[in-house]
Every structure is written in structure tokens, then in C-alpha cells.
Amino acid sequence: MSGVSRPTVALGLAAVALSLVTLVGLPTPLQAVAATAVLVLLPGQALARLTPVTDLALGTLLVLALGLASLTAVSTAMFYLAVWSWQACVVTMGVITVLACMVRARQEVAMARARQEAPC
């Protein structure tokens, strides 16, 4: 796992863990927090990390925008395909987060290799 940052790994693991916890069931207030994280914040963060944005305010806005946009696209597609369920939506958003983390990890590994191969 050389070259992959801890935030990338933590984000992917959090998506898997919170998706499972949301599906298993929690007391209502905790389930609402976990569902919000899985459905909006984690996918938004994972997708925002694929962009070169460094400004904190713009990055925060981008996390929310990308999270809500991906949730809207997934929910709308599921609705029109007549396969909508909140459980499937949670799993799909978790998968999107993990896939975005895998793409980010690949970018990080490529950047680490480029640094190693660069002449001094």
C-alpha cells in the first residue's frame, strides 16, 4: 500500500463500515447521522478528492454539491428503473465512495512512482 494516503484508506473503510451499520439498524438519531454520512458526505468527499481544488470553502461546497448530485442521480435512476429502495441506495452510494477511493489510490501510487523515478 505504498503511496496510498491514510485519508484515502480511511474514507473507503468508513464507507464500508457505515453502509453496513446503516443497513443493520441503529437507534434513529444515530442511523440518521450514519445515513447522511453514507449518502452525501462520504461520496462527496471521495469525489471531491479527485479534483485539484485546494481552497477550503470551495472544497466544502464541492463535497456537498458532488454528494447531493450523485445521490440525486442514483435515486432518480433507481426510481425510473423501478428498483428503488433505501437499502439499495445506501449500498450504491457506498460503492461509489469505494470506487472513487480506488481511483484516488491509483492516482497517489502513480504520483509516488513518478517522484521516485524523477531525476534528482
Side-chain angles (χ1 to χ4, degrees), residues 12-98:
L13 292 176
V16 172
L18 286 176
S19 294
L20 292 175
V21 167
T22 302
L23 294 174
V24 169
L26 292 170
T28 303
L30 293 176
Q31 188 164 10
V33 171
T36 300
V38 171
L39 294 174
V40 178
L41 299 177
L42 293 178
Q45 178 66 23
L47 293 169
R49 292 187 80 228
L50 297 174
T51 67
V53 173
T54 57
D55 182 58
L56 181 62
L58 183 57
T60 302
L61 183 63
L62 193 58
V63 166
L64 292 173
L66 288 172
L68 290 171
S70 59
L71 178 59
T72 301
V74 166
S75 297
T76 302
M78 289 178 149
F79 177 76
Y80 280 113
L81 295 171
V83 294
W84 193 91
S85 75
W86 71 267
Q87 294 95 341
C89 196
V90 166
V91 169
T92 303
M93 296 305 286
V95 168
I96 287 171
T97 303
V98 169

